[in-house]
Amino acid sequence: MKKIFFAVLLISVFSAFAELYPAKRYVEIGAGAGFRFSENLAGIADIMKKELVIDLDEVYSNMKKGFIVTAGVSPEAYMDFNFKKFGFGFHVGMDVSGRMNLSRDFFGVLANGIEAGKETSVDMSLWLQSFVEASVPVYFKIFDFKVKVTPTYFVPLVYVPDVSARASFVNKSDGTIEAKVNAPISIYTAQKFGESFDGSIDSIFSGGDISSMVSDALKNGGFDLGVLVEYPFTRKLDLGAYANIPIVPGKLTGKLSTSITASIKTPSLIDMIADGEDAGETEYDYEMGDFVYTEEKYYVNRPLRFGAEIAYRPWKNWLTLRASAGLAFRNPFGKDFNIRSFYPEYNLGAEFVLFYVLGLSFHTEYTQQVFAHTLQLILNARVFELDISAGICNSDFLKSFKIQGARAAVTVKFGF
């Protein structure tokens, strides 16, 4: 009986001072991947209707920030070693994410038309980033503080700066409507193209010397430093502060440039009503120029991030309530840095654990300029663990509660 009491007491003492993210195994190997996609035009309920009807007036009035599409994918693999006073690990992964924005004025044109003799414009923006990352997280304890330092070497593969384009719509005095767009596109890449490059899309993917491409890309990587400091404020409350600080930017050495031009001219509405098919046809003209490759350096950083977080455990490890808030800056110090590069972040969550075997958590968050609500199931058989999460997401807060975007992730863990 005394031995049982002592064991329970020992477990209580260690769990009373649980960390923000306590390790479950001395040695752990894991691999997983996550993805997300969202758009704020139509939800799954609208798409599943027998007849899809889009009220352009309603779209225009509700779409304050325009039509936004976001996407991302993030595979990773790691090995961690956790001891009482210190630990370290090896992590590799990839982060691909992008965002496209078409201003609401486009739907205003569709819904309300254009006043005769007037011209209106529609703005568009796009950015895309792709990194391969390798990090060596190390943590150690000083008195009651736990300090985790994560140096990361990242290699930018492809980067499309936060560029803008504009389309113009004109309603001429004769009733005809003309629309023109000229969209210059610049894609910075780690790949070098030789004399065999002819400017076509096929030649971009035709390859070359893979080993030399990998070698060149690895030489141009960047370096940043992640820091997490946590402190057990009480037996139930843990406090932490985090930061991800760019040190050396990654470098892309090549630039692929092209431009897309398009124009549309429609007959006047009066002529179409009066003459029908004799009013004339709608004229289309579309052209995408060949890609032009130039050697041009472009420097890219992973986001600068800093903030604070807490973990509150009212019933030891059975329930953990989490909250974090911070600020982030996409590609700080880069040429394309602007007001759209800055965004806040937050995360609120509750995690339930039953007999250390079954876990269930719910998180609502705003990260990478996307609102998300995620449910995660954890099956832990000690030497094996399976984490599955699924949720809904959107760039618009209210629409994030509808099914207009989805995210999911699966992680498999082994260890002892």
Side-chain angles (χ1 to χ4, degrees):
M1 189 67 181
K2 290 182 179 180
K3 292 181 179 180
I4 296 176
F5 176 77
F6 178 75
V8 173
L9 180 63
L10 189 63
I11 293 174
S12 300
V13 169
F14 279 101
S15 63
F17 290 96
E19 303 161 359
L20 280 173
Y21 302 96
K24 298 178 182 179
R25 299 167 184 85
Y26 293 108
V27 179
E28 182 172 284
I29 301 172
F35 86 93
R36 60 177 173 82
F37 175 83
S38 72
E39 53 79 25
N40 63 342
L41 178 60
I44 190 67
D46 301 317
I47 297 174
M48 294 301 291
K49 289 181 179 179
K50 186 176 181 179
E51 294 184 3
L52 177 61
V53 178
I54 298 178
D55 188 334
L56 293 174
D57 285 317
E58 182 180 357
V59 170
Y60 176 66
S61 60
N62 293 336
M63 196 172 287
K64 304 300 182 182
K65 296 182 178 180
F67 176 50
I68 300 175
V69 177
T70 68
V73 61
S74 53
E76 67 166 345
Y78 68 90
M79 175 181 290
D80 285 337
F81 300 87
N82 304 295
F83 306 101
K84 186 176 181 180
K85 293 292 185 180
F86 72 97
F88 62 93
F90 304 96
H91 293 216
V92 294
M94 187 175 185
D95 176 34
V96 181
S97 58
R99 179 185 178 100
M100 186 275 290
N101 185 205
L102 177 64
S103 72
R104 67 192 295 261
D105 296 326
F106 175 74
F107 298 95
V109 171
L110 296 180
N112 306 317
I114 308 170
E115 187 178 346
K118 297 290 184 178
E119 178 178 347
T120 187
S121 61
V122 174
D123 293 322
M124 297 170 285
S125 65
L126 170 72
W127 69 264
L128 173 71
Q129 61 184 16
S130 174
F131 298 105
V132 173
E133 306 156 354
S135 61
V136 183
V138 177
Y139 74 83
F140 50 89
K141 295 182 179 180
I142 304 176
F143 301 109
D144 290 333
F145 291 90
K146 178 182 176 181
V147 180
K148 183 177 181 180
V149 179
T150 306
T152 300
Y153 187 78
F154 64 92
V155 178
L157 300 179
V158 175
Y159 190 80
V160 178
D162 190 358
V163 295
S164 299
R166 174 165 291 186
S168 63
F169 296 82
V170 181
N171 187 356
K172 294 189 173 181
S173 57
D174 61 358
T176 60
I177 298 177
E178 288 188 357
K180 296 181 179 179
V181 59
N182 182 18
I185 300 175
S186 297
I187 304 173
Y188 292 90
T189 173
Q191 183 178 353
K192 292 184 177 181
F193 296 92
E195 296 180 356
S196 60
F197 180 71
D198 61 8
S200 65
I201 295 179
D202 291 339
S203 64
I204 295 177
F205 299 99
S206 61
D209 188 349
I210 301 297
S211 61
S212 64
M213 284 191 285
V214 172
S215 176
D216 291 338
L218 291 176
K219 293 177 183 177
N220 296 318
F223 176 78
D224 59 31
L225 189 66
V227 180
L228 171 64
V229 179
E230 58 182 87
Y231 176 75
F233 188 71
T234 68
R235 290 181 178 273
K236 297 182 179 181
L237 180 65
D238 293 281
L239 307 179
Y242 66 86
N244 190 79
I245 306 168
I247 306 296
V248 179
K251 183 173 63 175
L252 295 163
T253 56
K255 177 183 177 181
L256 291 169
S257 303
T258 188
S259 64
I260 298 174
T261 58
S263 64
I264 301 175
K265 183 178 181 180
T266 65
S268 70
L269 181 61
I270 295 176
D271 291 343
M272 285 190 291
I273 295 174
D275 302 331
E277 294 181 356
D278 296 332
E281 297 181 352
T282 299
E283 300 176 8
Y284 301 91
D285 186 21
Y286 168 83
E287 182 180 357
M288 180 175 178
D290 289 339
F291 282 92
V292 177
Y293 175 75
T294 55
E295 291 189 1
E296 181 177 329
K297 296 178 181 178
Y298 198 91
Y299 295 94
V300 182
N301 281 299
R302 296 201 310 162
L304 166 66
R305 301 174 62 245
F306 58 88
E309 58 183 314
I310 63 172
Y312 178 64
R313 296 177 174 86
W315 304 317
K316 299 180 181 178
N317 288 332
W318 300 98
L319 172 64
T320 303
L321 303 176
R322 298 187 182 277
S324 66
L327 299 175
F329 304 84
R330 188 178 67 251
N331 194 23
F333 321 116
K335 290 182 181 179
D336 63 326
F337 183 79
N338 55 45
I339 189 63
R340 294 193 300 267
S341 304
F342 159 78
Y343 53 94
E345 294 183 322
Y346 72 80
N347 190 319
L348 302 173
E351 302 172 0
F352 304 88
V353 178
L354 183 62
F355 302 117
Y356 301 97
V357 175
L358 179 63
L360 189 67
S361 69
F362 174 78
H363 289 261
T364 180
E365 63 186 277
Y366 181 69
T367 54
Q368 294 185 312
Q369 297 178 292
V370 174
F371 296 95
H373 317 285
T374 307
L375 185 66
Q376 182 182 43
L377 175 66
I378 301 172
L379 301 174
N380 184 5
R382 182 52 181 168
V383 296
F384 170 80
E385 180 178 331
L386 177 64
D387 298 351
I388 303 174
S389 66
I392 51 179
C393 62
N394 202 278
S395 58
D396 184 279
F397 176 71
L398 294 178
K399 292 183 179 180
S400 68
F401 294 96
K402 302 178 181 180
I403 307 179
Q404 290 190 226
R407 65 183 302 181
V410 176
T411 303
V412 179
K413 305 175 182 179
F414 300 90
F416 59 89

